[in-house]
Amino acid sequence: MGHNGAAITGCGAAFPGRRITNHDLEKMIDTSNKWILDRTGIRERRILEEGLSTVDLSERAARDALEGAGIKPHQLELILVATVTPDYPLPAAACSLQARLGAFRAAAMDLAAGCSGFIYALTVADQFIRTGAYRNALVVGVEILSRIVDWTDRSTCVLFGDGAGAVVIQPVRDKRGLVAFELGADGRGLEYLYIPAGGTARPASAETVRQQLHYVKMNGPEIFKFAVRIVQETMDRLLEKGKLSYADLDYLFLHQANLRIIESIRMKLQLPREKVPVNIDRYGNMSSAAIPVALTEEAASGRLKEGDLLAAVAFGAGLTWGGILMRW
Ligand code: UT7
């Protein structure tokens, strides 16, 4: 590895003001607060107001992260946005954000790895810092899933929410920073979570719109089984790479897709509740935004402290998975 470690030196989160509770959903579709709460742990989610888009939430989270790190937008050399919901199909959401921030020295690109996107992007940015190529990188996990779910499909629309989390990564000379990473994919599972049309396989047409093929389709039970298995495997490999054990962990940040997934992993790994933060109750599944939001909230509360050892593991569309071990 290179001469520099790379650490998160600032973070931020942003949400739409509009809250949709399970009781609100009861009035819109055939569902119940009890089903949603029992099966997922979600109580409410934030839904972006009309007229706003990905760049609006990204900018707010990014400005907080930049302020935390004590740098200005023009000092950024890399903007990496993990999202499956950019402002436009073309170009990257990172370009919208670069313009909005006025960060004109920065290279800008998106990374699409579904709900694992933030972990993938953080790992990519870390490589640029470690080699000494860049000193100031911004990594954003942002998702406006409310714009790509079918609001008449109760099996998906109750699950997701909108939000953004951002971090600044910089070289550090102390013990902070990334200790190990583990990324993976199994494209054979792509139809478990995908949008059938709008790409080259099925370009957008009046027919694809009529058939509602531009919305997210998901096989929930298959992803559930995959998630529980892959998180444990990823954690075992990470700890082996870092020559650490479960007892060394101060935190395990998990992708927030379902409270039952989180709890079954937490119990398997025998970790106490306070080490495994939960925000799905308040935000639903925010895909790539879930982990940076949780990091920001734990850091802001003062519970996550410098020197703490954390793991963060995500899984999602692709299928993809990714995990990191990091000294905060
Ligand atoms: O972010 C990464 C990707 N996503 C995930 O990780 C999601 C992983 N999967 C899950 O979280 C769960 O599989 C779900 C929450 C999506 C579904 O829970 P489940 O316990 O696997 O339920 P199910 O899909 O097997 O459905 C059970 C029943 C069905 O009724 P029948 O066929 O048993 O009569 C559904 O029609 O629940 C019904 N149902 C609902 N009922 C009320 C499905 N959605 C709803 C709803 N309200 N919103």
Side-chain angles (χ1 to χ4, degrees):
M1 294 228 172
H3 55 287
N4 286 322
I8 292 175
T9 53
C11 52
F15 313 97
R18 181 150 61 122
R19 279 192 171 80
I20 304 282
T21 65
N22 295 345
H23 297 290
D24 295 329
L25 290 174
E26 283 175 347
K27 293 172 206 141
M28 297 160 58
I29 48 170
D30 177 19
T31 190
S32 66
N33 174 52
K34 184 174 177 355
W35 190 95
I36 301 172
L37 200 52
D38 289 353
R39 305 309 290 165
T40 74
I42 301 167
R43 292 175 187 279
E44 59 179 43
R45 70 288 290 140
R46 303 296 184 91
I47 302 296
L48 193 64
E49 296 82 356
E50 254 175 69
L52 299 179
S53 69
T54 306
V55 70
D56 298 290
L57 282 191
S58 307
E59 181 191 4
R60 281 168 43 204
R63 288 201 188 276
D64 281 356
L66 290 165
E67 199 184 309
I71 61 167
K72 302 281 180 220
H74 69 84
Q75 292 174 271
L76 285 174
E77 294 153 304
L78 176 67
I79 298 175
L80 203 43
V81 177
T83 192
V84 297
T85 50
D87 302 84
Y88 305 100
L90 179 78
C95 295
S96 316
L97 180 59
Q98 193 240 33
R100 186 66 77 78
L101 291 173
F104 300 115
R105 281 180 57 206
M109 61 177 167
D110 287 0
L111 198 156
C115 303
S116 317
F118 178 76
I119 300 294
Y120 263 69
L122 190 66
T123 305
V124 170
D126 176 72
Q127 309 308 309
F128 284 101
I129 303 282
R130 226 168 251 285
T131 58
Y134 294 142
R135 300 186 61 80
N136 298 308
L138 176 71
V139 177
V140 181
V142 56
E143 227 60 89
I144 313 297
L145 295 167
S146 63
R147 302 275 160 89
I148 60 165
V149 298
D150 178 353
W151 283 97
T152 65
D153 174 8
R154 68 174 185 176
S155 73
T156 51
C157 75
V158 304
L159 304 174
F160 298 105
D162 302 337
V167 299
V168 168
I169 309 176
Q170 295 179 304
V172 287
R173 296 226 166 263
D174 50 31
K175 278 193 150 176
R176 288 176 297 158
L178 212 76
V179 177
F181 69 87
E182 177 77 26
L183 303 177
D186 184 351
R188 289 169 297 188
L190 84 85
E191 287 186 4
Y192 290 154
L193 180 48
Y194 80 134
I195 298 176
T200 57
R202 295 193 81 168
S205 68
E207 185 56 20
T208 59
V209 171
R210 198 188 60 75
Q211 291 181 30
Q212 309 215 305
L213 298 179
H214 295 273
Y215 294 125
V216 170
K217 310 272 187 253
M218 183 171 81
N219 182 332
E222 282 298 334
I223 302 223
F224 194 111
K225 282 184 278 179
F226 156 73
V228 174
R229 175 175 60 79
I230 207 67
V231 170
Q232 179 156 23
E233 286 177 22
T234 302
M235 277 306 299
D236 289 346
R237 284 197 214 109
L238 276 175
L239 290 171
E240 202 183 305
K241 281 184 178 171
K243 298 190 176 59
L244 292 158
S245 72
Y246 285 103
D248 296 319
L249 285 180
D250 296 301
Y251 271 103
L252 171 57
F253 289 89
L254 286 174
H255 173 49
Q256 307 279 306
N258 188 317
L259 186 60
R260 287 186 294 138
I261 297 180
I262 297 169
E263 279 295 290
S264 84
I265 294 165
R266 188 182 68 73
M267 284 180 323
K268 264 193 183 179
L269 304 184
Q270 298 184 313
L271 293 169
R273 272 215 173 76
E274 62 273 15
K275 290 192 175 181
V276 186
V278 169
N279 64 32
I280 189 171
D281 53 330
R282 289 170 290 141
Y283 304 126
N285 178 348
M286 297 184 290
S287 184
S288 61
I291 287 176
V293 162
L295 288 171
T296 301
E297 290 188 333
E298 288 303 300
S301 75
R303 286 186 296 271
L304 173 57
K305 293 184 290 296
E306 190 169 320
D308 279 355
L309 181 73
L310 67 88
V313 184
F315 51 85
L319 301 171
T320 58
W321 59 92
I324 54 155
L325 275 181
M326 177 178 265
R327 188 74 63 188
W328 187 256

